[in-house]
Amino acid sequence: MSWGTELWDQFDSLDKHTQWGIDFLERYAKFVKERIEIEQNYAKQLRNLVKKYCPKRSTKDEEPRFTSCIAFFNILNELNDYAGQREVVAEEMAHRVYGELMRYAHDLKTERKMHLQEGRKAQQYLDMCWKQMDNSKKKFERECREAEKAQQSYERLDNDTNATKADVEKAKQQLNLRTHMADENKNEYAAQLQNFNGEQHKHFYVVIPQIYKQLQEMDERRTIKLSECYRGFADSERKVIPIISKCLEGMILAAKSVDERRDSQMVVDSFKSGFEPPGDFPFEDYSQHIYRTISDGTISASKQESGKVDAKTTVGKAKGKLWLFGKKPKPQSPPLTPTSLFTSSTPNGSQFLTFSIEPVHYCMNEIKTGKPRIPSFRSLKRGGPALEDFSHLPPEQRRKKLQQRIDELNRELQKESDQKEALNKMKDVYEKNPQMGDPGSLQPKLAETMNNIDRLRMEIHKNEAWLSEVESKTGGRGDRRHSSDINHLVTQGRESPEGSYTDDANQEVRGPPQQHGHHSEFDDEFEDDDPLPAIGHCKAIYPFDGHNEGTLAMKEGEVLYIIEEDKGDGWTRARRQNGS
């Protein structure tokens, strides 16, 4: 199949068809361009969407911690990468498809114009040959008619008896001239006809097929180029599918990483104050005054008898009891009257006065009616006063902040120590090879590094002191809580009007309630080195080396005794069976 043989007479149709092919190519290029703009706008809108919902973190404290938030931000990052892949698709289409189409369309127009010009030139040359042949034919025809007229005139004069011999001779000469001219025009016409036939054969069997073949090849190349562009259009999308799949897998993994238990624990870690809940309200017996008035003599006698009881007897009774949590109660202070006051410390260091009947009663009134002594987290977020030792925070939050600062200072100290070691090595190299540098030039930097190390060590020591203070308070709070629980059990018995406990109505002892947070002369007598009692046991499910200070190494399957509950920081105290 060839256009040159099948379509030898369809020059105008091929002209229109090739022009339609170029127009279609440009139309597809326009389609690709609009698709590129859509991809670019889509990527831009995705990036703007990610930018709109990404957190603007200015400080480390504002970084997302909840797994749901972290998962959402991971999804945003994956979506940002997805937008980047859409930009890659647009760039690939612009470079491989649109740009190639525009260059090829320009070349195609130039080639088509050249082929059509060659076809038109060949047609014009053939038309010129036909005109020359036609002119020679017409001239030959005209000379033949003139020769016929001359012959008729000669024959008429030759048969006319009245014609002179000169007229006959003249007619004969005219006939010979016209016959000679007719013969020349005949030869000219024959030559032109032969030439035209040759050019026409060459035109329709050589020139035109060659031109049409070139047009056919051009159109087929255009079709092949469109096919390649179609494939490139799809490949641009297919190349990024693996990366887009990874982005989608990352979104799925982010969704799977959401842990509601961990988020709940983070809420606890973020807002736990470390304070213990208040104890039970005591029973206030207002009928004691009535009973005292009725039997004043009996009560006075009981008071006098109870006043003779020695303090050592009370201490002896306390030593004889087995305390539930291993801590013996603090000795009682000197007796106070029901209306006397004593000082008690709050967890944040402030002091207040309350009646000796029960400190918790006044504490609860303070909570209900007084101003809060510790700023809330909301006030801190709004820019409340932030102290260097974080004393404005609750104990548990203060401990975490101090531990974070100590970790940061330790990292900085390690960096400075590494820098110092590097400077010392460099100084040794300079001293051994003076041509490499002056050792004295490193002295200012060494001095600065040493100052930084000293400063960091002082900061670490200061923060560790604050941390020890917080841990001692939070550690002692659990003991005080156990003691308060025991005292609560003790108050289930009978209580004298003055608040002292007795198991029997005939053995009531006057004494004030215990004052928490104050030491007396009996402290040393109550403190001993007896091990804390176990409140439970546990079994190690995997081995732990316990290289860090304060940690306990254990083997898999080893049974340990629990001696202290978890305070909310994830750590607890345990003891081996051998006592360590």
Side-chain angles (χ1 to χ4, degrees), residues 423 426-444 446:
L423 289 173
M426 190 179 298
K427 183 178 180 181
D428 295 339
V429 173
Y430 286 174
E431 289 176 352
K432 294 178 181 179
N433 300 315
Q435 66 273 13
M436 296 184 66
D438 183 15
S441 62
L442 301 176
Q443 193 61 34
L446 274 171

Side-chain angles (χ1 to χ4, degrees), residues 126-250:
L126 184 63
D127 293 342
M128 183 187 68
C129 293
W130 180 83
K131 286 181 180 180
Q132 290 177 356
M133 184 272 296
D134 187 63
N135 289 335
S136 63
K137 176 183 176 182
K138 289 179 180 179
K139 189 175 181 181
F140 171 64
E141 183 182 3
R142 185 171 61 249
E143 290 298 331
C144 286
R145 284 195 301 267
E146 291 295 331
E148 288 178 358
K149 288 181 181 181
Q151 185 178 3
Q152 290 176 2
S153 178
Y154 171 70
E155 290 177 353
R156 183 175 54 79
L157 290 175
D158 187 41
N159 294 326
D160 188 5
T161 57
N162 294 325
T164 63
K165 187 178 181 178
D167 292 335
V168 172
E169 190 65 25
K170 184 178 179 181
K172 184 178 181 180
Q173 291 178 357
Q174 186 69 25
L175 174 61
N176 291 334
L177 178 62
R178 291 297 179 183
T179 302
H180 178 70
M181 291 181 66
D183 291 338
E184 287 182 353
N185 285 298
K186 179 181 180 180
N187 294 332
E188 180 68 20
Y189 169 64
Q192 290 295 333
L193 180 61
Q194 184 178 4
N195 181 56
F196 172 75
N197 289 332
E199 292 296 334
Q200 180 176 259
H201 184 275
K202 181 181 178 181
H203 176 80
F204 288 110
Y205 288 94
V206 179
V207 178
I208 289 299
Q210 183 67 26
I211 294 173
Y212 286 6
K213 182 181 179 181
Q214 293 174 351
L215 287 173
Q216 181 181 359
E217 291 176 353
M218 180 195 72
D219 192 71
E220 289 177 353
R221 288 198 308 271
R222 176 192 63 83
T223 307
I224 293 173
K225 177 60 67 173
L226 279 174
S227 176
E228 293 176 353
C229 290
Y230 295 159
R231 188 179 297 109
F233 186 84
D235 288 340
S236 300
E237 187 86 19
R238 186 174 61 180
K239 284 182 179 179
V240 300
I241 287 179
I243 303 178
I244 290 177
S245 299
K246 290 183 179 179
C247 294
L248 297 177
E249 290 176 2

Side-chain angles (χ1 to χ4, degrees), residues 518-548:
H518 290 276
H519 296 283
S520 67
E521 59 185 358
F522 299 102
D523 285 350
D524 296 337
E525 188 173 356
F526 281 101
E527 297 294 338
D528 54 17
D529 296 332
D530 292 339
L532 295 175
I535 61 175
H537 66 278
C538 64
K539 183 177 181 180
I541 60 175
Y542 57 85
F544 181 67
D545 52 10
H547 291 327
N548 296 331

Side-chain angles (χ1 to χ4, degrees), residues 411-477:
R411 286 193 292 269
E412 293 181 8
L413 180 62
Q414 184 63 34
K415 290 181 181 178
E416 294 292 336
S417 300
D418 295 341
Q419 184 176 0
K420 174 188 173 183
E421 184 178 357
L423 289 173
N424 287 328
K425 289 182 179 180
M426 190 179 298
K427 183 178 180 181
D428 295 339
V429 173
Y430 286 174
E431 289 176 352
K432 294 178 181 179
N433 300 315
Q435 66 273 13
M436 296 184 66
D438 183 15
S441 62
L442 301 176
Q443 193 61 34
K445 189 64 177 178
L446 274 171
E448 181 182 356
T449 304
M450 292 297 297
N451 291 334
N452 291 336
I453 290 175
D454 294 339
R455 177 181 57 81
L456 290 172
R457 285 176 177 172
M458 291 176 62
E459 289 289 332
I460 291 173
H461 180 71
K462 180 171 60 175
N463 284 273
E464 285 179 348
W466 290 334
L467 181 61
S468 300
E469 177 186 355
V470 175
E471 289 179 345
S472 63
K473 289 182 178 180
T474 56
R477 184 174 295 110

Side-chain angles (χ1 to χ4, degrees), residues 310-311 314-315 318 321 323 329-336 487 490 498-502 509-516 518-523 526:
D310 191 8
T314 308
V315 173
K321 293 183 179 180
W323 298 101
K330 298 295 181 180
Q332 297 177 347
S333 299
L336 296 176
N487 293 336
V490 171
E498 289 76 18
S500 61
Y501 170 79
T502 178
V509 180
R510 289 186 62 183
Q514 297 179 0
Q515 297 183 13
H516 301 282
H518 290 276
H519 296 283
S520 67
E521 59 185 358
F522 299 102
D523 285 350
F526 281 101

